[in-house]
């Protein structure tokens, strides 16, 4: 597959309609459309091409892990590649062609070539009778099989006695491929951002997370070094996360906050799924969503969904939540050809990007302070703090109430997030009030 030139997308900033905020550094919609046709799967050249496409924008490390490598209870599977697949009438008319849509072939289908009766073929056909024009997305990773996915309406018109079937694929020893990028921090502690890259032409389910994560990496690499490193993982679901965990077990304790990103390109409400044991990132996500103006729902952890369940498995138990808009399995476009580039919007991607910068910035800036002299309320006028607030701009939007909350609540135990929640104020304002208090030497940082 020729990819040269496809990914050199000029970064033009397109601020969203919901006012202000940071503009994404790259054109996420253009990148999503460029990556959409690639035949991604658990392994193979579609995954490599996707990671190479991201590399045009961010300095991604690409790792290859050999087939058969033992990772916890699993083995890295054989590598799957596909060049083409068709179903034809006996007189050579092409009815189904992988070249038109890579959802047409069941992922990990073994090679096939021959003539099959309609009855035999029917055992390998997947359709959606309730959505007769949509192509379903199916895989058979761990049971050797082959199959085609097609619109039910098309299958109903296929009434010949036999058909010629061809799947030109290989399932052979090779490697599992994943991408990794660390945006370094001042400390060893890290925020983990993880997205899956194993779905073929599905836009919201996998590509939305991929392009938003790429934009976040580009954004933070261009900024001054933050306190916490930010580690980005682009990997096939389940086996990819298990492989990464198995290869990095000695470094897992550095991960202090984490997020799986998936289905964040549709314009529906946000859904945040909590970490397995509860963590600061849960409260931070709730806080940022509450002040975002977007509709949202917070969901409890469950051991089903995306890789939050690997990061939250026993013996690992990392504080990794999951940010979604549409929830897997519960929207009609899910795992069908209707989850295409028209289902995601540039504006929804930009909203998700901005929400995530607010959330990551909060995690970076959430600290704990104590009053230098905690007896009574300090005299603010003498220190020019009333003037600073009147100036507003320098005060970063902090109000007198925000200052009073900070000075009252900084006891060396409560974090700025605790204070912001109690004050029902956005974190950024409480952070700005704390900065004024730091400048006036009224508070000092405490390691919790
Ligand atoms: Zn999926």
């Amino acid at each position: 597959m020729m990819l040269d030139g496809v990914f050199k997308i000029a970064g033009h900033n397109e601020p969203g309609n919901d006012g202000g905020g940071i503009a994404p550094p790259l054109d996420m919609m253009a990148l999503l459309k460029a990556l959409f046709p690639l035949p991604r799967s658990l392994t193979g050249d579609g995954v490599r091409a996707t990671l190479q496409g991201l590399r045009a924008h961010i300095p991604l490390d690409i790792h290859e892990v050999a087939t058969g490598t033992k990772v916890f209870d699993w083995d890295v599977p054989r590598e799957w590649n596909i060049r083409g697949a068709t179903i034809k009438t006996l007189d050579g008319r092409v009815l189904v062609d992988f070249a038109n849509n890579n959802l047409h072939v069941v992922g990990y289908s073994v090679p096939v070539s021959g003539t099959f009766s309609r009855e035999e073929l029917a055992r390998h056909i997947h359709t959606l009778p309730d959505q007769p024009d949509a192509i379903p997305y199916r895989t058979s990773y761990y049971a050797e099989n082959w199959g085609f996915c097609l619109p039910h309406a098309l299958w109903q018109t296929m009434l010949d006695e036999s058909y010629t079937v061809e799947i030109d694929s290989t399932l052979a020893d090779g490697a599992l491929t994943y991408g990794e990028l660390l945006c370094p921090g001042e400390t060893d502690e890290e925020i983990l951002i993880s997205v899956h890259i194993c779905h073929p032409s599905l836009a919201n389910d996998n590509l939305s997370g991929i392009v938003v994560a790429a934009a976040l990496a580009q954004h933070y690499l261009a900024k001054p070094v933050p306190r916490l490193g930010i580690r980005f993982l682009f990997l096939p679901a389940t086996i990819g996360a298990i492989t990464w965990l198995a290869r990095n077990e000695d470094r897992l304790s550095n991960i202090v906050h984490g997020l799986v990103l998936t289905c964040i390109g549709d314009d529906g409400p946000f859904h945040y799924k909590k970490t397995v044991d509860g963590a600061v990132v849960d409260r931070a996500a709730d806080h940022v969503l509450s002040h975002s103006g977007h509709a949202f729902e917070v969901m409890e952890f469950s051991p089903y969904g995306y890789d939050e369940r690997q990061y939250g498995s026993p013996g690992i138990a990392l504080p990794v939540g999951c940010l979604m808009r549409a929830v897997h399995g519960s929207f009609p476009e899910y795992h069908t050809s209707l989850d295409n580039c028209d289902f995601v919007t540039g504006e929804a991607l930009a909203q998700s990007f901005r929400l995530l910068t607010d959330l990551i910035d909060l995690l970076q800036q959430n600290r704990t302070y104590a009053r230098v002299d905690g007896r009574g309320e300090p005299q603010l006028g003498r220190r020019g703090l009333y003037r600073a607030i009147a100036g507003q701009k320098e005060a970063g939007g902090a109000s007198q109430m925000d200052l009073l909350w900070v000075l009252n609540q900084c006891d060396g135990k409560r974090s700025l997030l605790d204070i912001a929640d109690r004050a029902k104020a956005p974190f950024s304002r409480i952070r700005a009030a704390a900065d004024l208090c730091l400048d006036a030497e009224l508070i000092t940082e405490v390691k919790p």
Side-chain angles (χ1 to χ4, degrees):
M1 186 154 303
M2 285 300 295
L3 298 164
D4 293 336
V6 173
F7 297 104
K8 300 279 185 269
I9 294 154
H12 76 269
N13 293 338
E14 219 172 311
N17 300 328
D18 62 346
I22 303 157
L26 60 82
D27 185 338
M28 292 183 285
M29 200 63 206
L31 180 59
L32 182 141
K33 285 178 177 167
L35 298 175
F36 186 76
L38 298 175
R40 279 167 295 276
S41 185
L42 272 197
T43 59
D45 290 337
V47 172
R48 290 190 187 95
T50 300
L51 296 174
Q52 288 296 345
L54 296 176
R55 237 190 190 171
H57 300 279
I58 51 172
L60 205 58
D61 285 328
I62 298 180
H63 301 272
E64 300 273 357
V65 184
T67 298
T69 305
K70 188 89 184 140
V71 286
F72 297 154
D73 195 42
W74 299 57
D75 300 306
V76 171
R78 285 184 291 169
E79 181 179 323
W80 185 66
N81 283 292
I82 178 158
R83 290 157 292 279
T86 51
I87 304 176
K88 294 181 191 166
T89 58
L90 295 188
D91 59 0
R93 238 170 1 103
V94 179
L95 300 179
V96 179
D97 192 346
F98 179 80
N100 294 334
N101 194 318
N102 61 31
L103 297 179
H104 275 316
V105 174
V106 171
Y108 265 66
S109 281
V110 294
V112 164
S113 182
T115 301
F116 293 83
S117 70
R118 190 184 192 280
E119 200 187 329
E120 285 172 310
L121 181 58
R123 286 199 287 274
H124 298 274
I125 296 289
H126 304 267
T127 69
L128 297 169
D130 294 341
Q131 293 168 287
D133 297 320
I135 307 167
Y137 164 54
R138 295 280 184 274
T139 61
S140 186
Y141 295 141
Y142 301 107
E144 242 180 62
N145 205 340
W146 62 272
F148 282 85
C149 303
L150 42 147
H152 191 69
L154 171 64
W155 178 238
Q156 283 185 308
T157 67
M158 291 171 61
L159 302 170
D160 293 0
E161 251 173 49
S162 330
Y163 290 93
T164 308
V165 173
E166 180 118 33
I167 298 179
D168 179 13
S169 66
T170 43
L171 187 54
D173 283 357
L176 175 149
T177 314
Y178 67 86
E180 183 169 20
L181 186 158
L182 176 66
C183 174
E186 286 168 1
T187 64
D188 289 340
E189 293 186 332
E190 293 176 4
I191 301 171
L192 183 76
I193 306 288
S194 180
V195 296
H196 65 291
I197 56 165
C198 51
H199 290 24
S201 292
L202 294 173
N204 204 27
D205 190 357
N206 98 337
L207 282 174
S208 65
I210 292 171
V211 300
V212 170
L216 289 170
Q218 208 180 49
H219 172 74
Y220 285 107
L221 284 169
K223 293 189 74 138
V225 173
R227 179 170 288 198
L228 309 174
I230 311 174
R231 186 175 296 277
F232 293 89
L233 296 179
F234 298 83
L235 28 75
T238 308
I239 185 65
I242 287 172
T243 300
W244 186 83
L245 287 167
R247 300 179 95 204
N248 292 277
E249 241 186 315
D250 54 333
R251 293 193 290 148
L252 299 185
S253 59
N254 291 342
I255 294 167
V256 290
H257 314 289
L259 288 164
V260 167
L261 308 181
T262 181
C263 297
I264 49 173
D266 62 281
D267 59 9
F270 284 95
H271 291 85
Y272 175 77
K273 178 175 156 184
K274 287 194 207 169
T275 60
V276 63
D277 291 326
V280 173
V281 65
D282 296 338
R283 293 187 37 236
D286 197 341
H287 179 92
V288 167
L289 286 163
S290 299
H291 290 275
S292 70
H294 297 297
F296 74 99
E297 190 185 324
V298 174
M299 302 158 69
E300 293 301 322
F301 178 83
S302 78
Y304 186 72
Y306 294 90
D307 284 328
E308 66 280 3
R309 70 188 207 239
Q310 306 310 331
Y311 300 121
S313 59
I316 305 290
L318 291 173
V320 178
C322 178
L323 186 72
M324 301 166 263
R325 298 185 75 143
V327 177
H328 54 90
S330 67
F331 57 102
E333 296 84 357
Y334 175 73
H335 279 192
T336 76
S337 54
L338 303 176
D339 181 2
N340 56 32
C341 297
D342 296 332
F343 183 53
V344 304
T345 70
E347 179 49 29
L349 291 170
Q351 285 171 356
S352 297
F353 171 86
R354 284 195 289 273
L355 186 98
L356 283 157
T357 56
D358 285 349
L359 177 50
I360 292 169
D361 292 348
L362 189 164
L363 294 169
Q364 293 283 9
Q365 296 167 12
N366 185 31
R367 315 255 165 94
T368 302
Y369 300 93
R371 283 273 303 281
V372 172
D373 178 352
R375 299 166 303 166
E377 197 174 287
Q379 201 189 347
L380 301 184
R382 176 156 60 83
R383 295 180 167 90
L385 286 172
Y386 284 123
R387 238 178 307 124
I389 288 167
Q392 280 297 320
K393 233 190 183 125
E394 303 79 68
S399 69
Q400 186 184 338
M401 270 312 282
D402 299 332
L403 264 186
L404 294 177
W405 274 113
V406 167
L407 290 167
N408 182 278
Q409 294 283 299
C410 279
D411 62 351
K413 295 187 198 76
R414 299 179 184 104
S415 70
L416 292 186
L417 177 58
D418 294 330
I419 299 170
D421 277 341
R422 188 158 189 183
K424 297 187 170 52
F427 180 85
S428 58
R429 262 174 40 201
I430 295 298
R431 176 69 257 179
D435 286 339
L436 289 175
C437 295
L438 275 172
D439 286 347
E441 295 177 353
L442 286 168
I443 60 173
T444 183
E445 187 171 354
V446 174
K447 291 284 169 223

